[in-house]
Amino acid sequence: MHHVGMTVTDLAAAVAFFEALGMELEGKAHMEGEFVDGVIGLDGSTSDIAMMKTPDDRYRIEFSQFQTPQSIDGSSHAPIHALGLRHVAFVVDDLDDTLARLKPHGAEVVRNIETYENLLRTCYVRGPEGILVELCQYFT
C-alpha cells in the first residue's frame, strides 16, 4: 500500500491534527491540469494536497482540499457501521498523552477508552471534519 487519501475542506487543520498525532508533513503541492483530471475523473479540477507520513516512513495519508469543483458532503460524520472507509488506526506509546495533544485540535473521544483483555487500551476519536481515528496503546 502506498497511501490512503482523504478529502477535507480545511487542509491546514488536517495537517495540524495529524502532526499532533505524530505524523510528519512530507510535502505539499497544488494539483491541476489534464493529468490530474484524467486520473481522478473530474474536469477542471484544482486542489491543494498534503502528504503526511508516519515517523518510520512506512505509511502515508494524502489530504486533498479542492477549490474546483466544490467538495460535496460525503457524510463526514457517518457512524462506524456506515459502508465505506470509516477509520484510520494508529498505535501510540501513551494514549493519555496522545489524547492531550489532540484535544486542542478538536479531538473528542467517541464514547469510552476501553481495555481489551489486558492487551491494549483503545478508543476512537473524531478529528477534523469528522475523520474517525482509532488509537491503540499496547501493554508491554
Side-chain angles (χ1 to χ4, degrees):
M1 183 179 91
H2 186 267
H3 70 271
V4 173
M6 296 185 193
T7 300
V8 297
T9 59
D10 188 340
L11 189 61
V15 168
F17 179 89
F18 282 87
E19 282 179 330
L21 185 56
M23 294 190 78
E24 301 169 7
L25 178 64
E26 186 171 40
K28 290 183 175 182
H30 180 76
M31 306 297 291
E32 64 180 280
E34 290 182 28
F35 168 79
V36 175
D37 290 353
V39 171
I40 66 173
L42 293 172
D43 293 329
S45 70
T46 59
S47 63
D48 293 309
I49 66 167
M51 187 67 78
M52 312 258 334
K53 66 180 182 176
T54 55
D56 63 4
D57 201 33
R58 292 182 63 194
Y59 307 102
R60 288 168 174 71
I61 299 176
E62 176 189 271
F63 294 100
S64 301
Q65 179 179 340
F66 282 83
Q67 289 80 47
T68 57
Q70 183 176 350
S71 294
I72 59 172
D73 185 4
S75 298
S76 60
H77 286 80
I80 194 66
H81 69 291
L83 297 176
L85 179 64
R86 285 294 148 234
H87 77 282
V88 180
F90 291 89
V91 173
V92 299
D93 293 329
D94 183 331
L95 183 59
D96 296 323
D97 177 65
T98 302
L99 290 170
R101 285 186 286 118
L102 294 177
K103 189 172 185 168
H105 299 279
E108 294 184 18
V109 174
V110 171
R111 183 169 288 169
N112 297 325
I113 299 170
E114 299 287 350
T115 300
Y116 178 73
E117 295 186 358
N118 294 321
L119 297 175
L120 68 94
R121 289 178 69 218
T122 187
C123 66
Y124 281 8
V125 297
R126 287 248 183 220
E129 305 190 45
I131 297 170
L132 275 173
V133 176
E134 182 180 1
L135 302 173
C136 303
Q137 176 186 348
Y138 286 89
F139 298 121
T140 54

